[in-house]
């Protein structure tokens, strides 16, 4: 079952301007160290930050809160699998919010996809609740 959907569109040039104006103050307020290392190692630094910005906005919308109610930018972090597929890691208040919105007997899965086409960066986040696997039941027919 779908628990939440969020999307965001970020202007890469706006993020580049914010980086130029506020530098580390902006980076450290919004992005984790891992996200910063990833972005600073890429040819398109501003585009990488813009995609992650959009993902955090989209995630906050999928959580049903937006960036309010105690959620922090750094409570949502975009990483990548070895394949390059983006993944969203939640901590702090965002993780707590996810726990409260996940029905009993289910696990929450956060799906994220990112794209960019200068000057735009876009992200979609879908939060899915999957039923937990039921424990194997004993075969009572074999006992008779």
């Amino acid at each position: 079952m779908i628990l939440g959907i969020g999307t965001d569109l970020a202007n890469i040039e706006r993020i580049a301007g914010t980086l130029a104006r506020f530098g580390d103050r902006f980076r450290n307020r919004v992005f984790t160290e891992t996200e910063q290392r990833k972005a600073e190692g890429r040819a398109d630094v501003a585009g990488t930050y813009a995609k992650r910005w959009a993902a955090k906005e989209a995630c906050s919308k999928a959580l049903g809160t937006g960036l309010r109610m105690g959620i922090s930018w750094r409570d949502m972090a975009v990483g990548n699998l070895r394949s390059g597929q983006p993944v969203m890691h939640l901590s702090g208040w965002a993780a707590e919010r996810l726990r409260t919105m996940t029905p009993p007997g289910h696990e929450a899965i956060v799906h994220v996809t990112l794209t960019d086409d200068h000057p735009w960066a876009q992200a979609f986040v879908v939060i899915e609740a999957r039923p937990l696997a039921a424990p194997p039941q004993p075969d009572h027919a074999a006992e008779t």
Side-chain angles (χ1 to χ4, degrees), residues 4-121:
I5 299 172
T7 186
D8 193 66
L9 184 66
N11 185 288
I12 296 169
E13 293 170 3
R14 179 174 161 250
I15 296 296
T18 302
L19 287 164
R21 184 171 178 197
F22 297 105
D24 285 343
R25 187 170 138 209
F26 172 66
R27 278 185 205 78
N28 294 332
R29 180 175 161 247
V30 176
F31 302 100
T32 65
E33 289 178 24
T34 302
E35 289 174 309
Q36 290 179 45
R37 277 193 308 274
K38 175 67 96 176
E40 298 298 328
R42 294 271 175 95
D44 184 8
V45 173
T48 301
Y49 278 124
K51 285 186 281 190
R52 279 149 180 75
W53 170 279
K56 291 168 186 264
E57 286 274 7
C59 185
S60 71
K61 293 170 185 174
L63 289 168
T65 63
L67 287 161
R68 57 183 177 85
M69 296 175 56
I71 200 167
S72 165
W73 287 103
R74 293 171 55 102
D75 287 347
M76 301 166 288
V78 179
N80 295 88
L81 299 177
R82 287 181 165 221
S83 65
Q85 177 184 345
V87 293
M88 182 66 71
H89 303 283
L90 302 181
S91 62
W93 192 91
E96 180 57 32
R97 171 69 179 155
L98 184 62
R99 277 190 291 279
T100 63
M101 64 189 286
T102 303
H106 289 75
E107 65 176 334
I109 310 296
V110 180
H111 304 276
V112 61
T113 186
L114 309 172
T115 191
D116 65 297
D117 187 6
H118 197 85
W120 301 106

